[in-house]
Structure formats: C-alpha cells, structure tokens
Amino acid sequence: MPQPPPVRSTPTRPSRPDASMSLLTNVMDHSLDDGYAEAAARKTSEGAAGMPRTLRAKLGLAAGLVLAALVVTVGAAQARVAAPTVAKERQELIDRIQRETTAADKLEGTVDKLRDDVSARQRAALREDGGGDPADLVGILSGAVAVHGPGVKLVVDDAKEATTGGDGNPRETSGFSDTGRVRDRDMQRVVNGLWESGAEAIAINGQRLTALSAIRAAGDAILVDNRPLVPPYTVLAVGDGARLSTRFQNSADGLYLHALQENYGIRTGISTEGDLRLPAAPSVIVRTAQPSTEKGTS
C-alpha cells in the first residue's frame, strides 16, 4: 500500500488577545510618563529646599500692610504735631485782617472828614468872592452849593425788551452793542442839550454835575464822576421850566432823544417842575485854575 505523505508543521501566529494583554500590562507598569515623573521630582526637591509660594505671598502681604499702617501712623502723628502751629498761624492771619480792616475804616473816615472840610472851605471862598450870597452864580455853576428852584425833570430808561445787537443794527457802527439800552453817549447828549437850552444846575440820579464831571461807560454801566448809575436815569435841571423844556425838545439833542424813542423803544418822559432840589457836589477839586485876588481890575 502506498504511504501517505508526511505532514509538515507550519508556524502559528500569536493570537490578538495575547498582544492586547501585553500592552495593557505595559501601561499598568508605566502609568506615568518619564516627563511627568521628572517634574514631580523637581517640585518635591524645590519644596524641600524653600518655603511654599503661598506662604511667601502671605508674608509679603502682611509686610505691606504693616508698612502702610506705619506710614498712616506717622502721618497722623505729624498732623497732630503740626495742628497747633497751623491753628496759630490761621488765628494770626485773621487778627491781621481785622487790624488792617479797622485801620482802613479809620482812614476812610478821615478821608470823608477832609473832603467835607475841603468842600466847606471851597464854598466859603466862593461865597466870599461872589459877594457873600450863598446862591451866587459862581457857587451854582461850580456845583459847590445845593440849589433849588423851578426846572424840568427828564427820565430816560432802557427799552422794555432790550436786546443785544445783531445784523443790520445801525448803532453798531457807533460803538453800541445793544439797540435798546441807554448808552453814555446818549446821556452826554442829553446833558449837553440841557446846558445849551439854559439849565443852571443839573443832577443825574442825585449826582450833581460840575464843570469837571465826566459821563463814561464801563462795560454796560454808565459812570458819572466814576459813580455807577442804574436805569432809569432821572435828570433834574434847574432853570426856567417851560422855556427850558421847549428849547430842549426842539434842539438837536432833544430830537436825537426822540429818535431813540421812536426807533429803538427807549422810554423817555419830560415834565416841568415848580421846585427841584439838587444836592451839592461831594467835592470840587480844582487842579489848575486859581481864584483871582485882585479886585477892580479890568
């Protein structure tokens, strides 16, 4: 009988479950990577060599708080030490202000007395040169004496709705910034027109005008002899009442005032009075002219 062929053995591959078990065993044996292990070792060595960082931060914060408390304490102590000195200096300054104020009040009183004395001497000199009559022409025209008599009362006031200037304002070219407000130039023309019409004495809001008086402007205010006046402006003029009123209203200055009323709404009113009383000027200071002592000379 023929013999069967010999059976050859073939190598067998390992099964997949065995490989998986080998990988799992490796992972279990080496659960941490070498880098992680190195970092853990370094951290352990640093912790053993120095303090933990959290404790260091706490100590730094505590030191900062102690330093801040020390600064505040020192500042408070210095403030308490300096407080009496500051209070003393403040009281000295208050006392000095009070002394200077008292001295200024005394000087002001002295100035008022001297001004009254000068005015009295000037009035006496004018009475002597004018023949002893206290109501002489020289005293009246100089404003050194109070006067009374018939005349006119002229009231000039701003428009009811005074507005600041704008486009097309014809007064703008003459230096006016408000079409409805009375200006120093207006009052100058009123006063000059009254003098020209025959007024013998004039006062504006109780301020007597003299040959040295000036009517000026300071911003929107009108000054008469450096005294500010507020509207309405009441002008009292002693003279022949009816004649003075007629001549003024027919003069160029009276027509100018009427034009202000018609064009810009400035309010005016004039009336004749039987007895007006005008005060004397506070002081008449003559800087250049001197009274003549010679009599009987031509």
Side-chain angles (χ1 to χ4, degrees):
M1 292 180 65
Q3 296 292 328
V7 179
R8 297 181 179 180
S9 61
T10 58
T12 60
R13 296 181 181 179
S15 62
R16 290 184 180 275
D18 294 338
S20 299
M21 291 299 295
S22 173
L23 180 60
L24 202 42
T25 303
N26 187 23
V27 170
M28 293 295 294
D29 292 339
H30 302 85
S31 59
L32 292 179
D33 187 75
D34 294 339
Y36 288 107
E38 235 178 85
R42 184 168 60 252
K43 185 175 181 182
T44 302
S45 63
E46 289 178 356
M51 294 185 295
R53 293 182 181 179
T54 55
L55 180 59
R56 184 181 303 174
K58 292 179 180 179
L59 291 177
L61 179 60
L65 293 175
V66 171
L67 181 60
L70 181 61
V71 171
V72 171
T73 304
V74 172
Q78 290 179 349
R80 285 196 298 270
V81 171
T85 303
V86 173
K88 182 180 179 181
E89 293 177 352
R90 181 175 179 273
Q91 187 61 41
E92 290 178 353
L93 181 59
I94 292 175
D95 295 340
R96 181 180 177 184
I97 292 174
Q98 291 177 349
R99 289 195 302 269
E100 295 296 335
T101 302
T102 303
D105 292 340
K106 290 181 179 179
L107 290 175
E108 187 175 355
T110 302
V111 169
D112 292 337
K113 291 180 180 179
L114 292 175
R115 183 181 291 113
D116 294 339
D117 183 61
V118 170
S119 299
R121 292 176 181 271
Q122 288 177 342
R123 287 193 292 269
L126 290 171
R127 284 195 299 268
E128 183 179 354
D129 292 339
D133 186 4
D136 59 62
L137 182 60
V138 177
I140 293 174
L141 296 180
S142 65
V145 296
V147 297
H148 71 92
V152 297
K153 178 181 178 181
L154 175 62
V155 179
V156 183
D157 197 359
D158 295 338
K160 290 184 179 180
E161 296 180 357
T163 57
T164 56
D167 296 336
N169 177 11
R171 303 183 81 193
E172 193 78 23
T173 57
S174 302
F176 292 98
S177 61
D178 191 330
T179 59
R181 301 196 59 170
V182 180
R183 294 300 179 182
D184 57 329
R185 184 173 302 181
D186 303 331
M187 297 308 299
Q188 290 173 4
R189 295 202 59 168
V190 167
V191 170
N192 290 334
L194 289 172
W195 285 125
E196 186 178 358
S197 299
E200 300 174 3
I202 299 176
I204 303 177
N205 285 13
Q207 182 69 24
R208 181 73 175 274
L209 300 182
T210 69
L212 302 177
S213 295
I215 301 176
R216 300 188 181 93
D220 290 335
I222 295 179
L223 304 181
V224 175
D225 292 338
N226 295 324
R227 293 178 181 269
L229 304 181
V230 295
Y233 306 103
T234 302
V235 183
L236 301 180
V238 173
D240 187 346
R243 182 182 179 188
L244 179 60
S245 175
T246 302
R247 292 186 62 180
F248 172 75
Q249 294 185 66
N250 293 332
S251 66
D253 297 313
L255 295 176
Y256 170 83
L257 187 60
H258 182 71
L260 294 182
Q261 181 180 9
E262 292 292 329
N263 297 328
Y264 306 108
I266 290 178
R267 292 169 287 176
T268 64
I270 188 170
S271 61
T272 58
E273 303 292 334
D275 188 21
L276 296 175
R277 294 186 177 274
L278 279 61
S283 62
V284 181
I285 301 175
V286 181
R287 299 178 178 84
T288 305
Q290 297 294 330
S292 176
T293 57
E294 299 179 2
K295 295 183 180 181
T297 58
S298 55

